[in-house]
Amino acid sequence: MPKLVDHDARRLEIVEATVRVIARAGFEGATMREVAAEGGFANGAIKPYFGSKAALLRATYEHVYDRTNDRVEAAADGAATPREALERFCREVLPLDAARVDEARVAVAFWGASESAPEARELHARFMDGWRERLGALLAALAPERDHRPAVEALLTFLLGAQITAALEPARAGAEQLEAQLRRLLDALLLG
Amino acid sequence: MPKLVDHDARRLEIVEATVRVIARAGFEGATMREVAAEGGFANGAIKPYFGSKAALLRATYEHVYDRTNDRVEAAADGAATPREALERFCREVLPLDAARVDEARVAVAFWGASESAPEARELHARFMDGWRERLGALLAALAPERDHRPAVEALLTFLLGAQITAALEPARAGAEQLEAQLRRLLDALLLG
């Protein structure tokens, strides 16, 4: 029986290989066989860790979400103003570099495959609720609005939409373009 | 050889059956066999019209886009002010009723399956460029901004993100909630 630490390390290796395969070949290309080849594992080495492609995709989505939140935590520390804190959160979620474009492709693949999968939808809803809470607190620190929910939802919806543009129209989702949209949107929401 | 009109009518029937199957069973559930059963066709009756699942999904996405634009055209006619014209466009794209939630599910399935499919990505980019042009004209009639692009892109990104929320978290994407977000966003963009 393998030690627990080996088990966790192997799971992480498999998930990281899945991110790379989805980024390169999309959801349809991300077969168990292809993921095993990418990670340098034997065929059949993945089944003991993830019993189905759906379970593997859920774990990969969870990994991407956790990685984003690790960045969010690290970035939040140095914010000088509430506006900067809000901007930093959004910038960590937006696909502003190659690694985060890979993550966007995982997210879009996951969403497309999850519409009829209750477990996957619950996972997504739980993650989004985490971000709603965070965005609500960041906006509350900034704008004396009575009901922040429409602004929180509009901002969250924008952050999700940006993943689609990054995955499907990368020429429209350069870092400069996304940052200009974010500034325009935050200026507007904080003034309007 | 069947008459051309029969050919087009049958294609439309197949595509409409595909919308229903994706809405009910997601992309993975939308097999050729399932679509044939839904439309009341013989197994194998779809292949002469759509040679692959990818071709069928592209045609279904195109159908959804065309149907949205038909609604947009009809709604645009009666707008009393430029603000109302802009709102009407956005309202026709947002998934505000059951039929449009089905369309959102088709869109999300299509995006998830299209990341690595150049033909599908081109189709999407062409459609989005159509909406960029329209949104640009609507915003130009409203706001004396020098460069409308960040606002156009932010609004388009919001409209795409709303399809994800409707498909995956329907409890968060009721018509009232989406309309409140839209109003908040348009108020903000037009003032800010």
Side-chain angles (χ1 to χ4, degrees), chain A residues 105 166-171, chain B residues 58 110 114-127:
Chain A
R105 293 167 70 88
L168 294 186
E169 293 186 285
Chain B
R58 277 202 306 278
F110 176 83
S114 299
E115 292 178 351
S116 303
E119 260 184 279
R121 286 168 57 152
E122 266 166 44
L123 188 72
H124 174 73
R126 184 153 55 79
F127 289 169

Side-chain angles (χ1 to χ4, degrees), chain B residues 121-145:
Chain B
R121 286 168 57 152
E122 266 166 44
L123 188 72
H124 174 73
R126 184 153 55 79
F127 289 169
M128 292 307 104
D129 282 345
W131 283 357
R132 283 182 179 103
E133 201 174 310
R134 200 182 277 265
L135 280 170
L138 288 164
L139 271 170
L142 261 168
E145 219 166 332

Side-chain angles (χ1 to χ4, degrees), chain B residues 169-187:
Chain B
E169 292 187 285
R172 294 289 193 171
E176 223 171 285
Q177 290 157 297
L178 290 177
E179 287 181 0
Q181 290 180 42
L182 176 64
R183 274 195 307 274
R184 182 70 183 78
L185 197 58
L186 290 181
D187 286 350

Side-chain angles (χ1 to χ4, degrees), chain A residues 18-173:
Chain A
T18 309
V19 172
R20 294 194 299 274
V21 173
I22 290 177
R24 187 181 68 226
F27 177 67
E28 305 234 38
T31 59
M32 297 286 227
R33 177 184 294 269
E34 198 58 42
V35 169
E38 172 70 31
F41 311 123
N43 252 335
I46 292 174
K47 270 272 151 120
Y49 295 88
F50 303 98
S52 67
K53 185 170 165 181
L56 176 58
L57 192 60
R58 277 202 306 278
T60 307
Y61 188 60
E62 192 159 9
H63 172 70
V64 161
Y65 181 79
D66 288 344
R67 203 150 70 174
T68 304
N69 283 338
D70 290 347
R71 284 197 310 263
V72 165
E73 298 298 340
D77 278 346
T81 63
R83 158 86 190 220
E84 201 190 320
L86 178 59
E87 252 192 62
R88 283 180 176 215
F89 173 84
C90 297
R91 288 174 49 91
E92 293 308 330
V93 176
L94 286 176
L96 298 179
D97 60 29
R100 280 178 273 173
V101 171
D102 286 355
E103 293 176 3
R105 293 167 70 88
V106 169
V108 172
F110 175 82
W111 296 330
S114 300
E115 292 179 350
S116 302
E119 260 186 279
R121 285 167 57 152
E122 267 166 44
L123 187 74
H124 174 73
R126 185 154 54 80
F127 290 170
M128 292 307 103
D129 282 345
W131 284 356
R132 282 182 180 102
E133 201 174 311
R134 202 182 276 267
L135 280 170
L138 288 165
L139 272 169
L142 259 169
E145 221 165 332
R146 208 170 303 161
D147 179 5
H148 286 286
R149 278 170 303 177
V152 165
E153 291 294 328
L155 204 46
L156 182 60
T157 302
F158 165 77
L159 295 173
L160 298 186
Q163 316 299 317
I164 298 168
T165 308
L168 294 186
E169 293 186 285
R172 294 288 192 171

Side-chain angles (χ1 to χ4, degrees), chain B residues 148-173:
Chain B
H148 286 285
R149 278 170 304 177
V152 165
E153 292 294 326
L155 204 45
L156 182 61
T157 302
F158 165 77
L159 294 173
L160 297 186
Q163 317 298 317
I164 298 168
T165 307
L168 294 186
E169 292 187 285
R172 294 289 193 171

